[in-house]
Amino acid sequence: MHVKKFGIWGNTDKKIFWDILPDILSWASKNKLTPFLTKRISEKSSFDFKIIKSKNDFIKMDFMLALGGDGTFLSLARAIQNRGIPILGIHLGDLGFLAKVTLKDLFYRLDQVANNNYFVEERILIKSKIIKANGIVEHVALNDFVFANGESFRMLNTSVNVDGHFVGNYKADGLIIATPTGSTAYSLSAGGPIITPKVDSIVITPTSAHTLTSRPLVVPGISKITVSFSEPADSIRFVADGQVHEILDPKSKVEIVKSDFTVPLIDFRDTDYFKTLRVKMGWGKRGDQTV
């Protein structure tokens, strides 16, 4: 597919975003591409370009450019949802897992996209249905859903079922339900496994479990995970991708399944997931060994 139009979604709080934006717009003009800016970017600048006025405008784009970090990428993925628009993540700081492209090779990668020299990798999302006394709330996440007690000093007691089968009670500071994409985020820091993106699965990871027998559990991607809570508990915090927050009461129940749509990530033939692990995390390195 020859690209003609693309959207720009960015972290406008970063100075480097405003420093690099004029160069990207100049690159678009040179390559006869039409850039679209979000309303937030347009309102904070004097650039006179086409505007992404609503989520439905995403379908006009051949791809979206996410300028920021992994958090910026996550917010864009949730906004696009099922519209199937490929995302190219540009990290404005250190190397990220989702925003893989750095400023150093930004225009080299953009040229590759303009020349159709890229491929698309589909990433699964998970969907939650929160059943409260006053109604139902739904969210999607590319990385994870996190449960924690509203009072941080208290233990959270969760009951987990998978496909109607009782798994167990997790007595811990919290509980993480993560995708393979999210397995390298909070779940990993809580002792969960790294799951490569092509593995169709969901991981259940307790945080600071209060029993030695509570361990992370990987279940098939087709599973339906149900989380409920044991009293006493005053309130439970529910967080999607570290960005969207809900307060639950102890009588709430949360059902989590794989979403029926995926998010397409733009990637390149010369990139390597395991190299990203080694560079980002020092994976498999000892002492001062080089990558």
Side-chain angles (χ1 to χ4, degrees):
M1 179 186 69
H2 180 65
V3 299
K4 297 179 180 179
K5 295 179 286 187
F6 70 100
I8 298 176
W9 178 285
N11 185 343
T12 57
D13 293 330
K14 287 181 176 283
K15 180 181 180 296
I16 187 63
F17 169 81
W18 297 107
D19 292 341
I20 198 65
L21 182 57
D23 294 333
I24 294 173
L25 297 175
S26 176
W27 171 86
S29 176
K30 186 177 77 171
N31 286 273
K32 296 181 171 56
L33 301 181
T34 303
F36 285 69
L37 306 179
T38 62
K39 286 193 295 183
R40 181 181 177 86
I41 296 171
S42 177
E43 289 168 356
K44 290 189 171 186
S45 70
S46 58
F47 296 115
D48 184 20
F49 287 92
K50 293 182 180 293
I51 306 300
I52 299 173
K53 297 178 180 178
S54 69
K55 291 182 179 181
N56 289 331
D57 282 344
F58 285 132
I59 62 175
K60 301 176 183 178
M61 309 299 140
D62 293 318
F63 74 97
M64 288 292 301
L65 197 58
L67 291 155
D70 284 353
T72 304
F73 193 106
L74 290 168
S75 63
L76 174 57
R78 290 196 312 275
I80 288 177
Q81 293 203 358
N82 63 346
R83 293 172 179 86
I85 310 303
I87 304 173
L88 176 62
I90 309 298
H91 210 292
L92 299 183
D94 296 326
L95 184 68
F97 277 101
L98 295 171
K100 299 178 183 179
V101 177
T102 61
L103 289 175
K104 183 176 66 174
D105 58 355
L106 167 59
F107 293 102
Y108 170 69
R109 295 305 189 188
L110 285 176
D111 285 341
Q112 285 186 287
V113 175
N115 293 320
N116 199 30
N117 185 18
Y118 68 94
F119 70 95
V120 169
E121 180 185 35
E122 302 289 345
R123 295 289 182 97
I124 70 169
L125 296 93
I126 46 179
K127 177 174 65 175
S128 65
K129 181 166 74 172
I130 303 171
I131 304 167
K132 298 181 175 182
N134 59 349
I136 293 175
V137 180
E138 295 187 344
H139 292 289
V140 295
L142 177 58
N143 261 3
D144 52 39
F145 295 128
V146 175
F147 300 89
N149 203 305
E151 298 182 27
S152 59
F153 58 86
R154 296 189 63 175
M155 179 181 68
L156 183 67
N157 193 348
T158 57
S159 178
V160 176
N161 284 262
V162 174
D163 295 330
H165 301 285
F166 177 63
V167 174
N169 290 316
Y170 285 86
K171 296 181 179 181
D173 285 358
L175 189 71
I176 306 165
I177 311 295
T179 64
T181 299
S183 71
T184 52
Y186 188 18
S187 175
L188 180 63
S189 68
I194 292 177
I195 303 174
T196 57
K198 293 181 181 179
V199 179
D200 186 13
S201 60
I202 302 172
V203 60
I204 304 168
T205 306
T207 63
S208 301
H210 290 228
T211 58
L212 294 175
T213 54
S214 291
R215 291 291 180 264
L217 175 67
V218 179
V219 299
I222 59 172
S223 302
K224 178 180 178 181
I225 301 168
T226 304
V227 180
S228 56
F229 312 96
S230 299
E231 299 185 61
D234 298 317
S235 63
I236 298 102
R237 286 184 291 122
F238 171 91
V239 187
D241 280 343
Q243 298 174 335
V244 179
H245 299 252
E246 292 275 352
I247 297 296
L248 314 181
D249 64 66
K251 295 181 180 179
S252 300
K253 183 171 71 172
V254 182
E255 296 175 352
I256 297 171
V257 296
K258 184 173 68 173
S259 174
D260 54 6
F261 58 87
T262 57
V263 167
L265 278 63
I266 290 177
D267 210 341
F268 306 94
R269 299 296 175 189
D270 60 343
T271 60
D272 183 329
Y273 177 81
F274 299 104
K275 182 177 180 180
T276 302
L277 282 180
R278 295 194 303 272
V279 172
K280 178 74 176 177
M281 307 177 67
W283 187 259
K285 291 170 60 179
R286 294 177 59 190
D288 295 326
Q289 288 180 341
T290 56
V291 176

